[in-house]
Amino acid sequence: MAVERTLSIIKPDAVAKNVIGEINARFEKAGLNIVAMKMVKLDDEKAGGFYAEHKERPFFKDLVEFMTSGPVVVQVLEGENAVMANRDLMGATNPQEAAAGTIRADFANSIDANAVHGSDSTESAAREISYFFADEEICPR
Ligand code: RTP
Ligand code: MG
């Protein structure tokens, strides 16, 4: 297995619930190192650009509205097989379908307010990481 990086976002619902620390603890316990992290308030342009692949989907407007509704924590996780390892920790998009013990099962309210984002491939990860972070903001161990 290769050491990879993935982009994680702790979404506005999870920030509002004060579970940033609990979510970060899950990453750390799973061997994913947080190598970059910042809190930001997204605007329509930044959130819409991030989710541009979903622009034609019926849920796009709600998605952008939700992602701009409060601050988010954007982070780069690094570790073995990081992309899939994080997707496993997150659980299914719809928290009602997420496996027990996953972040979404434990902290998400709905398919819209679903606590976290994680890149879905190494290609997406590279694009998403550079969307939020300059190289010098990433601090590998
Ligand atoms: P994310 O990109 O946020 O990590 O989530 P994901 O890969 O699990 O899901 P994706 O298909 O990329 O969808 C992005 C976000 O759009 C919302 N969504 N709503 N109402 C719906 O049918 C629907 N489908 C997706 C979710 O909030 C999802 O996280
Ligand atoms: Mg996605």
Side-chain angles (χ1 to χ4, degrees), residues 50-64:
F50 181 74
Y51 279 119
E53 64 178 310
H54 296 311
K55 207 162 63 186
E56 306 305 327
R57 309 282 286 277
F59 58 80
F60 181 74
K61 192 169 161 285
D62 287 346
L63 178 58
V64 171

Side-chain angles (χ1 to χ4, degrees), residues 69-91:
S69 66
V72 299
V73 176
V74 190
Q75 49 197 182
V76 179
L77 309 179
E78 186 177 79
E80 292 282 341
N81 208 18
V83 171
M84 290 321 293
N86 184 36
R87 297 287 294 191
D88 288 346
L89 290 175
M90 290 163 59

